[in-house]
Structures are given as structure tokens and as C-alpha cells.
Amino acid sequence: MKVLVATEKPFAKAAVDGSRAIVEKAGHELALLEKYTDVEQFFAAVADADALIVRSDKVTADVIAHAKKLKIVVRAGAGYDNLDLAACTAAGVVAMNTPGQNSNAVAELAIGLMIYMSRNQFTPGTGRELKGKTVGIHAYGNVGRLVAMIAKNGFGMNVIAFDPFVPAEKMAADGVKAVGSIEELYAGADFLSLHIPATAETKGSIGYKLVSKMPKGACLVNTARKEVINEAELLEVLAEREDLKYVTDIAAERMAELKEKFGNRVFATPKKQGAETAEANINAGLAAANQICDFFATGNRKFQVNK
Ligand code: NAD
């Protein structure tokens, strides 16, 4: 089988070398398309691929249409909103992600962003400490849980969380308080760390109604996706509440306007950096290669997302 790794933003060399070793050991072949500048190059490369590994590359219905032999596509990472799942399903292609492989990298960044904002973006002046503050975890998945653990065990923060799909007992076992409603979460959080996936339900769902409930001096921390924010309403609430801050790993569409209006109260990493560590890169790449080989060998679909 031919496994294509198509990455506009390449993996670390160790991830490519490791993936090649896994794929070849299983008797398959690895092809590489890196730093492509035109989607036509992607179309040509995928034409004879049986399996595809991507990072944030968009796997559209057009890509799927050019991939006549494709059986499986794996997004090396957690969020899979770059895959057209309906097109995959219609073409009989199994779509997977590699959950958990980059969670620690993202969690560490979320905490780093909290410190950066609490210390006024390292400009002169008096900052605040994380100790004793409350962090609200919006979605208690792989990243959310790690942020909770670092915040609680490393910084002595109180942790509250909201996730309708995770039992309160599981959070309680971690020393985390499950709150009954999303409104209660925002109302109690000095730092609100966002970890919801971008879905039809969550897109644009974080806006005035929730952010305006946050306590005085609170900070909204977004290492999830920009699409979950209602930007017009965020601008409105930041204008109304001069004490609130917004920090994000995924620059808003209206970032220039946010910076101009609110200066040091907002910050975006210059490019998405949550999963950009050598460790996460390697973990996710190798997991993708292993999942593909296992799928071809045993039919294992454990991480399928288009069921
Ligand atoms: P995960 O799948 O482990 O966890 C997602 C959690 O969201 C689950 O616990 C689920 O129950 C919960 N959830 C789903 N819908 C919800 C809703 N409507 N309300 C509340 N909770 C809901 O994913 P993860 O690894 O923790 O990653 C979370 C998100 O972070 C990803 O979807 C991705 O968009 C983003 N991410 C960003 C980066 C980055 O580089 N900044 C890297 C990895 C992931």
C-alpha cells in the first residue's frame, strides 16, 4: 500500500523518519509531499495513494475526488475540522485523528498564556499570580484535563469544569468540581480555558452572554479554535468591560481591530503554536503511521471519526 504524507507545514524530520520506518516495516511504501504551494500538487500526489496522513492540510471533497484508491485518511492531531467527513464517508474512506498525542504541548501553552497575560505581557508594572485563582475548563477532554492537572497540582489553582459528555465523578476523582451549567462555569472563572472542538454546535457559541459573566479581571484563554468565538460579540464585551482580557493561540479574523482597540488586553501567538513541539510532532506523526498500518493489518478503526 502507498501511504502519502502531505504536509504544507512539514513534520519534524524525526517524525518523518519514524513514520517511514513503521510503514516500511509493515510492508508498505511511504511517499512525501512537503511544503506544497498549490492544491494541484496535492491532487496529483494523492491520485495513487491508499492512505493519507495530513496535519492542518485541508482534505476537501475535491481532494477526495482525486484520490481514487484512498481507503484511510489520518489527521495527525486532535481537531479534525480540516477533514470533509461527509466526502470521506461518501467515498468509503475511513477518517481518523490521533487524540491525546499533542495534548501536553497544548496544555503547557495554555498555562504559559495565562502567565503571560497575568504579567502584563512582560511589560513593566505589577502583575498577578495564578495561585489561588480559579480556572474554568470548558470541555474536559485530553487537553482540558491536563490543563486542570497542571493548574491544580503545579500552581495551586482551584479548578472547575463543564463538559456534558464527561461524568462529574470522573472530574471529582481528579479533584475538579463539575459545575451544572456553562453559565456557572464562566461566572466562576478567573481564567477560562477553552477546549471545545469546532463543531456545528460550538461554532460562534462563545460570545457576549458567556464572556460578560466572567468575574472582574478575568482572562479568556483560547487554545481551541478561532471559529468557536463570536468575534463581534467579543469586541462588544471587551469594549464594555475594561477589566477583561483575551489571549489566543489562533488569531481572530478581526485580530488587528482587537489589538488596535484593546492593546495589551489581547494577545495572539503569531502562528498557531499549541502543538508545535518536537515531542507532539513526533508523537502525532508516529501514531498516524501506526494507526494506518494497524488498520490495513487488522481493520482496527478505534480512532475513526466519521462513523
Ligand atoms: P478531545 O477530543 O480529547 O476533547 C474534546 C472534549 O470536548 C471532549 O471531552 C468532549 O466531551 C467535549 N465536548 C464536545 N462538545 C462539547 C460541547 N458542546 N460542550 C462542552 N464540551 C464538549 O480533544 P482535545 O485533544 O482535548 O482538544 C480539544 C480541542 O483543542 C480540539 O478539538 C482542537 O480544536 C484544539 N486543539 C488545538 C491545538 C492547537 O495547536 N492550539 C492542538 C490540539 C487541539
Side-chain angles (χ1 to χ4, degrees), residues 5-6 44 132 254:
V5 176
R254 296 169 72 173

Side-chain angles (χ1 to χ4, degrees), residues 103 106-107 135-149 159-167 170-171 174 176-179 181-182 185-186 192-199 202 205-206 221-225 228:
S103 315
V106 184
V135 59
I137 307 287
H138 191 172
Y140 204 71
N142 286 294
V143 180
R145 180 169 184 270
L146 280 169
V147 171
M149 295 300 92
V159 187
I160 57 177
F162 178 79
D163 189 321
F165 308 103
V166 176
K170 189 170 175 232
M171 296 181 195
D174 290 341
V176 170
K177 184 179 174 226
V179 293
S181 72
I182 191 170
L185 182 78
Y186 281 71
L192 191 294
S193 202
L194 269 173
H195 304 292
I196 42 173
T199 63
T202 64
S205 65
I206 311 302
V221 183
N222 183 8
T223 57
R225 285 283 185 270
V228 301

